[in-house]
Amino acid sequence: MAEADPSMTSTPMTPTQAQEDVQDDSYSPSYEPSIEQPQARTYGGFLVDDDDNEDSAQAPKMAEPETSGSSNIDPKSPMNQTSVDHSFLPAATDQNVSSVDFSSSVIAQEGKSETVGEGNTDVPSIVDALPSQNGGDDVGVPQIERPPSVRAQSKSPVIESAEKSPISSPKARLPYDRIGLLEDRIAEDPKGDLDAWLTLISEHKNKNNADKLRDAYERFLQVFPTATDQWTAYVQFELQNDNFYKAEAIFNKSVTNIPNVDLWTTYLNYVRRRYDLTKDTSGQSRQIITQAFDIALNHVGQDKDSGKLWQEYLQFLKSGAGQVGGNSWQDQQKMDVLRKAYQRAICVPTQSVQPLWKEYDNFEIGLNRMAGRKILQEKSASYVTARTAYTALQNMTRGLDRYALPKLPPAPGCQGHEEFLQQVQIWKKWLDWEKNDPLELKDDEPKAYRDRVLYVYRQAVQPMRFWPDFFAEGALFCYDNKIDQEGDKLLKEGVSANPENPLLALFQADRIENTTTSNGQGDEGIVRRGAEVRTPYEQVHDALYDLLNRARQRETKEKNQINEAYENEEYTPAGIQNDFDVDDDEQEQKAKQRDAEKKAALEAVNTNVTEEVKYLSRVISFVWVALLRAMRRVQGQGKTKGTVGGTRQVVTDARKRGRITSDFYLLAGLLDYHCFETPKSQQSGSDNNKSGVLLDRGNRLFPDDEEFTLDYLKHLISVNDHTNARVVYSKSYEKMKEKPEWVPKARPILYCWHEYEARYGDLEQVKQVEARIMELYPDESKLSLFARRHAGRGFDICAVKPIVSHGAQKKPKVVSSIEHAAAANVHNSPVQDAASTLKRSISPKRSREESDNEYQPPRKLPRADSPLKGAAGRRMDAARRSGLRNEARSNGANSSTPSHVARPVAPPSLPGSLMHLLGIIPRSSAYNGMKFNPERMTDLVRNMDMGRATYVGPQQQNTAPAPPPYPQHMSVPPAMSMQPQMAPYTPAPPYGYSQPAGHVPYGYPR
């Protein structure tokens, strides 16, 4: 691809100016750090801050909230009293809350708020007003009002700092300044260097520095807000220090936005810790814990790992007041609550579904045997479906790392790429399985079906936060199923996590364009809608231009490091030892080798960065093209610097910002021609069509881009502008002829013009083009050029060789006797006979579809009977040998070959056991079924896991199927899964050979 377009102004350029265009690399967005981190003082590589004394460091107590840092808490707040008010759940009158809407308020305090997570003020809070534990007064948690600057902040400070601040060489650190070195690594690569983040957290934890540990956690969770393990560790740290206020703030930021079983379990443990049931005389604590369980199950109750949570919930309900089976209203209420909880639990595919079903069975039978049997019969179908679904889920998600930290996807061909794609494929398989509705919820319970699929998407984007496809697919699913709010939220999270990804930006812009209108609002409505549509494009452009600037800065940094390394006097080229007694020739040789290695290293850096810049420039150009098309639909052609800018303003902005390739000029020029060009027959004297301006400018700026020139030529030919087409061809030929490195690029242009002249030009012009081709490419065949004149639509008329005599030219090929015999042996081989027999031997009692379930293990495959042994086998073998000898004598007697002519020597006979086996195998004509692939069958046997194979004795043969020699999630072996399916048929034992009842040949499911 051609180099990126230099930065341009909107004024026309002369050809001389076009050649002097220079790319402007000086673009760098202004940045002001939003959070200023104090630099730690070091001495001898060790921290000497006053607050970093390891001997005196103690875990902070909850006597008073901190007054320094990011929060100022009123000392008179109930959170600072001995009995802390835990207003963690919304008040409810019913103990069994099916759905709870959290309040839109968040935990607030006076002054600045703690920025935990993404800093989204719209996150629903689970800290609402509930009766206080100190009497009957309602004392709520003090509210924290976010400053306007924090509310308007769209990105975390760490990400903005990494994206906008230039990469400069870090200050020299002492080798023992571990924390300083880790901070430098994080500042240079906040998203990619996970090891530096985790090591920094571990260092602060080991030093027992609570303030710096909190700061490290919050900065980490701003970059990785879906790291559930770190959320859990953070809240556990606060709970261990009895810092309940901060723990509740963390819960507010995490549990409602990140569906995770472990995180919700930690939250439930905290609620049960704060509300002691042993001192609950009024029953209020039990009611709050019940509501907490209901909220948790509404969020993560459909998770396949939530079985323990369901068991704890049922145990909690059993411990309540009342006796199951009693006659009082309290007993009846407890029975109803337990029955409803059991019926919800047995419908969810979890690891505890079978134990829960047994408990539910005992529960119903214990109440009333007859009524219980009826209820169990009604619910058994749901239980069986859930149990089967859990088995399928376990087989499907084997090898899936659900709780891994979010990692950037490795580039193709680099370390970890295959493993990352394997995780992506498992997630996709799980999502497709949920969309296929194996639990049969789509018709009866459409909301439950949508919630399950959306839950899996939420789970997928936690470890795959930097894989934008899941965000886009999840949003598309939400829009298709009329849950637009969830789709917008998912799409917004994806754009926040991947601001440089064009897919999510274009998807979001398309969504805005579809959901907004400017009808009847005049120019103001058009301008407003255009600004809304442009916002996603501008955001992705900012991120891409920043990546491009960082690539240039990284190039400068790496070159400086190489120069410093080679300027070091102690540097020695590879393979040469330090020797002070070397002569001048060796010194000169060392200097040359040193210069060659330095030059190679610098060229490697320059090549890598240049390729990256070319790629990013092309991405930027296509985003400009997408914006151009969107503005054409929303605002039309418009006018530069006018009220409605339209496409003209987009072209001006793209040229000013620079780094656009020839793709932009080509596609923008074609769009201008097809959408805004006035036909020549309708043009008036005032018409000023400018579609050719962009195309001509691109042709002058990118003379070495043969693809652009070729497309430009085809466009001019298609619009019948032969004069300009001839000019473009001639100028391109002259320019490419001047530089030898451009000569190979001229071949497609010459071929295109040769085809045009051959079809519509004069013979002299055709010969002129052919002469130019032969001048640049002497190895070209003149005959092939002549044939190209008359070829077309994939047919070369000059290569035709008609059939004149069918008898002489189309004789059938004669096959030698040896080849014919080999073919006959293959046709009548025992493998074909067995295949034809097998085609009729599949049991008609069970269709093939029943055995094709991908996640159900196949049944045991019995072997065929062994050959006859003992006296009977010897007699059959003797009779067979006698027959062969008699046949040989008769053939010798009837032979007309003279005695003096040597007869061909017969091949040696096979061993007796093999001859016996071949004698009892049915003829090849008896087999007309599917043939096995020998290579795949060999691979199947080679890859068989013998550790999983178990012997099935005679007593167990009809009761327990043996484990298959291939993974249990496959219904058929890998060698057979690619073969076409066949209809079942009844076996026909050939030649009186009887097979045992129910016999199926090995390799097919029963």
Side-chain angles (χ1 to χ4, degrees):
M1 195 61 209
E3 284 284 353
D5 176 29
S7 63
M8 296 162 288
T9 62
S10 60
T11 59
M13 299 180 63
T14 64
T16 304
Q17 292 173 336
Q19 298 296 332
E20 296 177 354
D21 278 345
V22 179
Q23 175 59 50
D24 182 13
D25 284 340
S26 62
Y27 174 78
S28 178
S30 60
Y31 167 69
E32 295 181 0
S34 56
I35 294 180
E36 181 178 357
Q37 299 294 340
Q39 297 293 332
R41 295 185 298 108
T42 60
Y43 181 79
F46 297 91
L47 296 173
V48 296
D49 289 349
D50 296 336
D51 59 345
D52 194 26
N53 190 350
E54 294 184 7
D55 297 333
S56 61
Q58 296 180 358
K61 299 298 180 181
M62 194 56 191
E64 285 186 2
E66 295 179 35
T67 58
S68 63
S70 60
S71 61
N72 296 321
I73 305 176
D74 186 5
K76 298 181 181 181
S77 170
M79 295 302 300
N80 298 325
Q81 301 175 7
T82 304
S83 179
V84 182
D85 173 28
H86 175 63
S87 307
F88 228 67
L89 297 166
T93 57
D94 187 6
Q95 291 184 355
N96 191 3
V97 181
S98 58
S99 62
V100 180
D101 292 333
F102 296 139
S103 172
S104 60
S105 62
V106 295
I107 295 184
Q109 63 185 18
E110 297 177 359
K112 297 182 180 179
S113 65
E114 295 182 346
T115 56
V116 183
E118 293 180 324
N120 183 8
T121 59
D122 297 331
V123 175
S125 173
I126 55 175
V127 181
D128 283 327
L130 273 180
S132 172
Q133 292 182 352
N134 303 325
D137 298 334
D138 292 344
V139 182
V141 178
Q143 297 296 311
I144 304 173
E145 291 297 335
R146 292 176 176 264
S149 60
V150 178
R151 289 197 300 267
Q153 186 177 1
S154 60
K155 293 183 181 180
S156 64
V158 176
I159 297 178
E160 287 191 355
S161 176
E163 291 180 353
K164 295 186 177 181
S165 62
I167 299 179
S168 59
S169 299
K171 297 181 181 179
R173 297 275 188 180
L174 295 173
Y176 298 102
D177 187 7
R178 291 176 54 85
I179 293 180
L181 294 174
L182 292 172
E183 292 287 359
D184 291 342
R185 289 170 55 186
I186 291 172
E188 185 176 356
D189 190 7
K191 285 186 178 180
D193 202 344
L194 275 171
D195 294 337
W197 279 111
L198 298 179
T199 307
L200 178 65
I201 292 174
S202 178
E203 286 289 330
H204 289 317
K205 189 177 296 184
N206 294 336
K207 291 178 179 293
N208 201 16
N209 194 326
D211 294 335
K212 293 186 177 180
L213 180 59
R214 290 190 185 97
D215 177 73
Y217 269 126
E218 290 177 3
R219 289 189 293 140
F220 177 85
L221 294 172
Q222 287 168 1
V223 183
F224 307 101
T226 57
T228 55
D229 291 343
Q230 299 305 317
W231 279 110
T232 305
Y234 189 15
V235 73
Q236 290 287 2
F237 165 75
E238 299 294 356
L239 292 177
Q240 289 172 2
N241 295 323
D242 295 337
N243 197 342
F244 300 120
Y245 185 85
K246 291 184 178 295
E248 291 179 4
I250 297 171
F251 280 132
N252 278 327
K253 297 294 182 181
S254 58
V255 291
T256 55
N257 297 323
I258 307 172
N260 180 263
V261 175
D262 293 338
L263 194 58
W264 275 100
T265 302
T266 304
Y267 160 68
L268 288 172
N269 294 336
Y270 171 71
V271 174
R272 286 182 284 188
R273 172 185 175 183
R274 299 292 292 149
Y275 293 92
D276 190 1
L277 294 178
T278 59
K279 301 178 181 179
D280 183 26
T281 58
S282 62
Q284 184 178 5
S285 297
R286 176 171 291 277
Q287 183 180 3
I288 293 174
I289 296 175
T290 303
Q291 296 173 25
F293 267 112
D294 287 332
I295 296 173
L297 292 174
N298 287 335
H299 280 79
V300 296
Q302 63 267 42
D303 196 294
K304 73 182 187 68
D305 297 333
S306 62
K308 185 177 179 181
L309 196 62
W310 283 103
Q311 289 179 323
E312 292 182 0
Y313 177 51
L314 289 166
Q315 291 297 328
F316 173 77
L317 294 180
K318 291 179 182 178
S319 64
Q323 183 177 1
V324 177
N327 296 326
S328 64
W329 65 268
Q330 197 172 29
D331 300 335
Q332 296 293 326
Q333 185 185 54
K334 183 176 183 179
M335 179 186 67
D336 295 338
V337 171
L338 278 173
R339 177 179 285 115
K340 188 174 182 179
Y342 272 123
Q343 291 178 357
R344 288 178 60 193
I346 61 174
C347 296
V348 181
T350 64
Q351 71 272 29
S352 303
V353 64
Q354 192 168 359
L356 290 174
W357 172 259
K358 293 181 179 179
E359 293 181 11
Y360 181 49
D361 183 279
N362 296 332
F363 171 79
E364 294 290 357
I365 296 300
L367 291 175
N368 189 315
R369 180 175 295 273
M370 297 299 294
R373 290 299 181 190
K374 182 179 179 181
I375 297 175
L376 292 173
Q377 185 176 4
E378 294 175 354
K379 296 297 179 181
S380 61
S382 300
Y383 157 69
V384 172
T385 302
R387 185 184 63 182
T388 306
Y390 177 73
T391 303
L393 274 175
Q394 286 296 99
N395 295 331
M396 187 191 317
T397 58
R398 187 177 290 112
L400 180 63
D401 191 358
R402 293 183 58 187
Y403 308 111
L405 288 174
K407 296 181 180 178
L408 293 171
C414 297
Q415 181 181 4
H417 177 65
E418 291 78 7
E419 292 78 2
F420 187 89
L421 289 184
Q422 184 179 8
Q423 294 292 312
V424 172
Q425 293 302 323
I426 297 176
W427 279 113
K428 288 184 177 180
K429 189 184 298 184
W430 188 358
L431 287 166
D432 293 340
W433 184 83
E434 290 287 355
K435 290 179 182 178
N436 291 332
D437 192 21
L439 298 179
E440 300 178 359
L441 300 172
K442 193 171 185 178
D443 297 332
D444 300 334
E445 301 179 63
K447 183 179 182 303
Y449 165 76
R450 294 194 300 264
D451 291 345
R452 283 194 62 87
V453 178
L454 183 58
Y455 180 81
V456 180
Y457 272 115
R458 286 288 184 186
Q459 294 294 307
V461 298
Q462 291 178 17
M464 297 291 168
R465 178 172 175 80
F466 304 118
W467 187 257
D469 295 20
F470 286 141
F471 289 100
E473 292 176 5
L476 189 61
F477 172 82
C478 293
Y479 296 147
D480 292 341
N481 289 271
K482 310 302 180 183
I483 43 178
D484 296 352
Q485 185 176 1
E486 292 294 334
D488 293 340
K489 182 179 178 181
L490 199 61
L491 191 58
K492 183 178 179 181
E493 292 177 5
V495 172
S496 176
N498 305 274
E500 68 286 339
N501 184 260
L503 169 65
L504 295 175
L506 300 181
F507 199 100
Q508 189 178 39
D510 183 77
R511 173 67 180 172
I512 295 174
E513 186 177 350
N514 288 331
T515 55
T516 57
T517 182
S518 58
N519 295 334
Q521 300 178 10
D523 289 347
E524 292 185 2
I526 296 176
V527 172
R528 176 188 53 79
R529 187 185 181 203
E532 292 178 1
V533 173
R534 265 192 90 142
T535 300
Y537 294 101
E538 292 176 350
Q539 291 176 352
V540 70
H541 266 143
D542 292 341
L544 290 173
Y545 276 107
D546 185 71
L547 286 178
L548 195 145
N549 293 332
R550 290 171 64 84
R552 288 300 188 189
Q553 294 163 5
R554 186 174 64 254
E555 177 187 17
T556 303
K557 176 184 176 183
E558 293 178 358
K559 286 183 177 180
N560 292 336
Q561 292 176 350
I562 293 174
N563 291 327
E564 292 176 1
Y566 279 87
E567 288 174 0
N568 187 0
E569 295 180 357
E570 300 179 356
Y571 171 76
T572 302
I576 296 181
Q577 301 293 332
N578 280 328
D579 189 0
F580 298 100
D581 297 331
V582 296
D583 54 16
D584 295 339
D585 294 338
E586 292 181 356
Q587 288 285 0
E588 183 178 358
Q589 182 182 2
K590 290 173 60 177
K592 290 182 179 179
Q593 184 175 356
R594 174 196 187 106
D595 294 340
E597 291 183 0
K598 178 181 177 180
K599 183 179 179 180
L602 292 175
E603 288 180 354
V605 172
N606 184 66
T607 302
N608 293 335
V609 175
T610 301
E611 292 298 325
E612 183 179 357
V613 169
K614 285 183 179 180
Y615 179 77
L616 290 174
S617 299
R618 195 169 192 189
V619 175
I620 289 171
S621 300
F622 274 90
V623 175
W624 278 116
V625 172
L627 175 59
L628 191 72
R629 294 167 177 168
M631 288 296 101
R632 198 272 306 171
R633 295 189 296 265
V634 175
Q635 295 183 345
Q637 189 174 18
K639 183 183 295 185
T640 304
K641 296 183 180 179
T643 306
V644 180
T647 59
R648 294 298 187 198
Q649 187 64 45
V650 174
V651 173
T652 302
D653 295 342
R655 293 176 59 196
K656 285 183 178 180
R657 202 157 187 183
R659 283 300 177 190
I660 51 179
T661 62
S662 60
D663 303 289
F664 175 80
Y665 287 97
L666 177 66
L667 298 175
L670 293 178
L671 182 143
D672 195 80
Y673 173 81
H674 289 287
C675 296
F676 305 117
E677 186 82 9
T678 304
K680 291 184 178 180
S681 60
Q682 302 177 10
Q683 289 183 7
S684 61
S686 60
D687 287 334
N688 186 16
N689 296 322
K690 299 181 179 181
S691 62
V693 175
L694 290 171
L695 294 172
D696 184 65
R697 184 177 182 79
N699 189 40
R700 288 187 286 108
L701 290 173
F702 305 96
D704 62 330
D705 188 355
E706 72 281 5
E707 294 181 2
F708 176 87
T709 305
L710 189 61
D711 290 336
Y712 190 17
L713 266 179
K714 292 180 179 179
H715 167 68
L716 293 175
I717 293 173
S718 65
V719 299
N720 207 22
D721 192 354
H722 307 299
T723 303
N724 286 330
R726 195 175 300 277
V727 172
V728 171
Y729 155 70
S730 301
K731 289 184 177 181
S732 300
Y733 169 76
E734 295 297 335
K735 290 180 181 179
M736 292 187 175
K737 180 182 177 181
E738 295 174 356
K739 297 185 178 181
E741 63 271 15
W742 290 4
V743 170
K745 299 181 179 181
R747 188 185 291 267
I749 299 174
L750 290 171
Y751 282 164
C752 176
W753 193 250
H754 178 263
E755 180 182 354
Y756 169 75
E757 294 289 5
R759 292 181 179 181
Y760 314 111
D762 298 332
L763 184 59
E764 293 298 328
Q765 295 173 343
V766 175
K767 290 183 177 180
Q768 182 183 5
V769 178
E770 291 180 354
R772 289 183 172 182
I773 295 176
M774 294 301 300
E775 180 185 358
L776 294 182
Y777 313 107
D779 57 342
E780 188 76 27
S781 172
K782 291 185 178 181
L783 185 60
S784 64
L785 286 177
F786 177 80
R788 290 180 67 90
R789 299 185 194 177
H790 310 283
R793 298 179 60 85
F795 182 74
D796 186 2
I797 189 174
C798 296
V800 173
K801 309 265 188 319
I803 301 298
V804 178
S805 174
H806 284 263
Q809 294 179 268
K810 298 187 68 175
K811 289 182 180 181
K813 185 178 180 181
V814 178
V815 183
S816 62
S817 59
I818 298 177
E819 295 177 356
H820 181 73
N825 290 336
V826 171
H827 180 71
N828 297 324
S829 63
V831 176
Q832 282 191 337
D833 295 343
S836 61
T837 305
L838 180 62
K839 187 174 181 180
R840 300 189 303 268
S841 63
I842 297 180
S843 173
K845 298 180 180 179
R846 179 172 173 268
S847 62
R848 284 294 298 270
E849 286 75 8
E850 297 180 11
S851 62
D852 291 341
N853 190 351
E854 184 180 359
Y855 306 110
Q856 296 298 330
R859 300 185 180 182
K860 178 176 172 59
L861 307 176
R863 297 181 177 179
D865 291 344
S866 302
L868 294 177
K869 299 180 180 180
R874 288 194 295 272
R875 285 194 297 271
M876 291 181 61
D877 183 56
R880 182 185 56 79
R881 289 176 180 272
S882 176
L884 291 176
R885 285 194 295 270
N886 295 334
E887 183 178 358
R889 292 195 193 97
S890 61
N891 291 337
N894 298 330
S895 177
S896 60
T897 305
S899 59
H900 63 275
V901 178
R903 295 193 180 104
V905 180
S909 60
L910 297 174
S913 57
L914 292 180
M915 296 299 294
H916 174 71
L917 177 62
L918 294 176
I920 64 175
I921 289 179
R923 294 200 312 268
S924 60
S925 60
Y927 178 79
N928 58 356
M930 181 169 52
K931 299 179 182 179
F932 292 98
N933 189 325
E935 290 80 5
R936 293 186 178 180
M937 292 297 296
T938 304
D939 293 339
L940 172 63
V941 176
R942 183 187 299 113
N943 299 328
M944 186 180 300
D945 187 3
M946 299 303 297
R948 296 175 53 194
T950 57
Y951 171 74
V952 180
Q955 301 299 329
Q956 305 174 359
Q957 193 167 5
N958 297 327
T959 58
Y966 44 83
Q968 294 186 3
H969 66 276
M970 303 178 62
S971 59
V972 294
M976 299 169 56
S977 59
M978 301 299 295
Q979 301 294 343
Q981 302 295 329
M982 300 184 303
Y985 49 88
T986 306
Y991 291 97
Y993 177 71
S994 61
Q995 296 178 347
H999 168 74
V1000 178
Y1002 179 77
Y1004 281 83
R1006 295 191 56 171

